[in-house]
Amino acid sequence: QVQVTESGGDSVQAGGSLRLFCIVSGTEDRVRGVGWFRQAPGKEREGVAAIWSIGGTTFYADSVKGRFTISQDATGNTVSLQMNSLNPEDTAMYYCAAASRAKSRPLLESVYNYWGRGTQVTVSS
């Protein structure tokens, strides 16, 4: 089994920054990629950013391009999401997910088979 744990959520003012962390542990299944998703109240969960473990290719939703940066450490077990220029529309529960297979369309939920419990990000105006 693979465990996914998020941290770093907080409350910030518009224009501020936050860095989220995702720790992926467990060796029973090889992790090929990690993605960040978010769900705001009353809205569907959406893919925000993703990174493939081999090669480090990154993917971003249009709504966060140029503001968010996803990265991984040398082991690939810790994935960070640096979020800059935050605005109230970024308020959501942020989830990290791990995929055992690299597939096309990496911002789709169906790609991922291991999920964390989420970390709350609140941006006030």
Side-chain angles (χ1 to χ4, degrees), residues 23-67:
I23 297 177
V24 181
S25 59
T27 58
E28 289 78 8
D29 200 356
R30 177 91 179 259
V31 173
R32 303 292 181 180
V34 173
W36 281 99
F37 293 76
R38 67 185 181 186
Q39 187 168 22
K43 295 186 177 181
E44 293 186 355
R45 189 155 56 184
E46 63 172 346
V48 174
I51 185 167
W52 287 150
S53 301
I54 298 176
T57 305
T58 57
F59 308 87
Y60 296 95
D62 288 343
S63 58
V64 305
K65 279 181 182 176
R67 300 189 300 123

Side-chain angles (χ1 to χ4, degrees), residues 4-8 21-23 36 94-97 115-119:
V4 179
T5 306
E6 310 95 333
S7 64
F21 297 91
C22 175
I23 297 177
W36 281 99
Y94 282 71
Y95 298 90
C96 182
W115 290 82
R117 295 186 177 185
T119 186

